[in-house]
Amino acid sequence: MTKRLGEPPVRRTVVSGSAFEERIGYARAVVDGDRVHVSGTTGFDYASMTISGDVVEQAEQCLRNIGAALAEAGCTFADVVRVRYLLPAREDFEPCWPVLRRAFERVRPAATMMVCGLADERMRIEIEVDARRGTVVAGPGSALRFEPVDGDAMVEEWRHVHNVIVPPAAMTLDEARARAGRNRLVNAYLGDVLVGCSTVRPPEGEERVATVIARVLPAYRRRGIGTALYEEGLAHARVLDAGAVETVVLAANADGLRFAGARGFVEKERYVLDGECDEWVDLRLAGTAG
């Protein structure tokens, strides 16, 4: 949905199940338009409300908790612009540096470390981050990367995205393996987080029609990821000397139909497969053969 001038930014909250959130009355994160504010987060495992006595293990759990909140907000550590570290003992900070560097070395957010008391004497580190869900551009230095599917682990990731986007056509792992043998499958990652996938079916028939399908998980849409993923697939179809390019979208997927229309695809036909009730839409890229 396009935001109109003068409309307030969309605001929503992310909760983690932490008992502290319920008792005190706050959210793990607040999404305010394209800004994501993650509350000060400690090393509790919120499922069990237990905490390690080791500061490095606490830092690792802090980052797992923050990563989960960022993912629900539709972003990743690659989107973090500021981080604040709060520790009761300054000597505990340096042992955590390798853990923190793994999370933030690529993005290099602004950072502040403060020595202060925390709410519970078991807490040895608390981390707070701010992130921005901006447009993602592919290319050198970008956190967005595309990886051709290779091996069962990546096939399973591709299958996960496919099944989330098109549940009526949900595949088993064996079916996804077979698809990988026929087509070029690609997974899209933002940092180390899986955000989408694509399929390129090789050109077929007299017109040499290739099919290009880009899929982005709902939380990561409207950030330019789908466009970059589609353009990567389209470029591969051209390398294969496609004479025409088509795509197929589940009719109920309004976002997918809008995306295809905005990129010049024109509806070719609608149909329901035998024995099914879901409607599909075939579209062809305007200006190609056919």
Side-chain angles (χ1 to χ4, degrees):
M1 180 166 53
T2 302
K3 180 178 176 294
R4 293 189 295 271
L5 187 64
E7 285 186 345
V10 177
R11 184 186 187 278
R12 65 181 178 91
T13 57
V14 174
V15 296
S16 67
S18 163
F20 298 115
E21 295 168 33
E22 182 64 26
R23 292 173 184 169
I24 300 171
Y26 69 97
R28 179 58 42 204
V30 173
V31 182
D32 188 20
D34 65 353
R35 301 287 177 176
V36 179
H37 309 278
V38 181
S39 297
T41 300
T42 60
F44 274 89
D45 179 337
Y46 297 137
S48 61
M49 286 307 294
T50 57
I51 190 169
S52 168
D54 180 77
V55 68
V56 175
E57 291 180 4
Q58 285 194 25
E60 291 172 338
Q61 186 63 49
C62 284
L63 295 174
R64 283 193 289 271
N65 295 339
I66 290 169
L70 290 172
E72 191 168 341
C75 54
T76 73
F77 284 106
D79 299 303
V80 172
V81 296
R82 170 167 281 282
V83 57
R84 299 173 183 85
Y85 304 106
L86 296 82
L87 296 94
R90 59 173 50 87
E91 61 269 20
D92 278 349
F93 189 43
E94 188 169 352
C96 297
W97 289 359
V99 172
L100 306 176
R101 187 168 58 248
R102 284 197 296 273
F104 298 115
E105 186 173 23
R106 281 187 179 181
V107 66
R108 298 295 180 98
T112 302
M113 180 273 193
M114 292 178 282
V115 176
C116 61
L118 299 179
D120 186 312
E121 63 181 11
R122 293 172 292 174
M123 300 172 179
R124 297 179 64 182
I125 185 170
E126 183 169 321
I127 304 175
E128 173 186 338
V129 306
D130 295 319
R132 180 176 179 272
R133 299 178 69 254
T135 300
V136 180
V137 179
S142 173
L144 180 64
R145 58 190 176 85
F146 305 129
E147 299 287 345
V149 169
D150 182 20
D152 274 359
M154 294 186 73
V155 169
E156 179 59 34
E157 289 180 320
W158 181 93
R159 184 177 80 98
H160 167 74
V161 177
H162 174 277
N163 289 357
V164 168
I165 305 303
V166 283
M171 294 184 189
T172 66
L173 181 57
D174 282 343
E175 289 171 332
R177 287 192 191 108
R179 190 67 57 93
R182 298 193 303 270
N183 305 323
R184 180 179 184 262
L185 308 184
V186 168
N187 288 340
Y189 304 89
L190 190 56
D192 294 324
V193 177
L194 177 71
V195 296
C197 74
S198 70
T199 301
V200 178
R201 298 176 190 161
E204 298 177 334
E206 293 182 2
E207 295 182 284
R208 294 192 55 77
V209 178
T211 301
V212 177
I213 305 171
R215 308 176 189 88
V216 177
L217 291 171
Y220 299 94
R221 292 175 182 169
R222 297 180 175 86
R223 300 194 58 190
I225 296 170
T227 297
L229 190 55
Y230 159 71
E231 290 177 349
E232 193 273 347
L234 184 61
H236 185 73
R238 288 172 174 154
V239 167
L240 298 176
D241 195 29
V245 174
E246 293 184 353
T247 194
V248 58
V249 181
L250 186 65
N253 182 359
D255 280 347
L257 290 174
R258 280 194 294 268
F259 179 89
R263 275 141 200 88
F265 282 88
V266 178
E267 184 174 327
K268 184 180 174 186
E269 66 174 322
R270 291 181 178 238
Y271 54 91
V272 176
L273 297 173
D274 290 343
E276 299 184 6
C277 58
D278 296 287
E279 187 177 45
W280 298 86
V281 185
D282 283 348
L283 306 102
R284 177 165 289 198
L285 186 61
T288 60

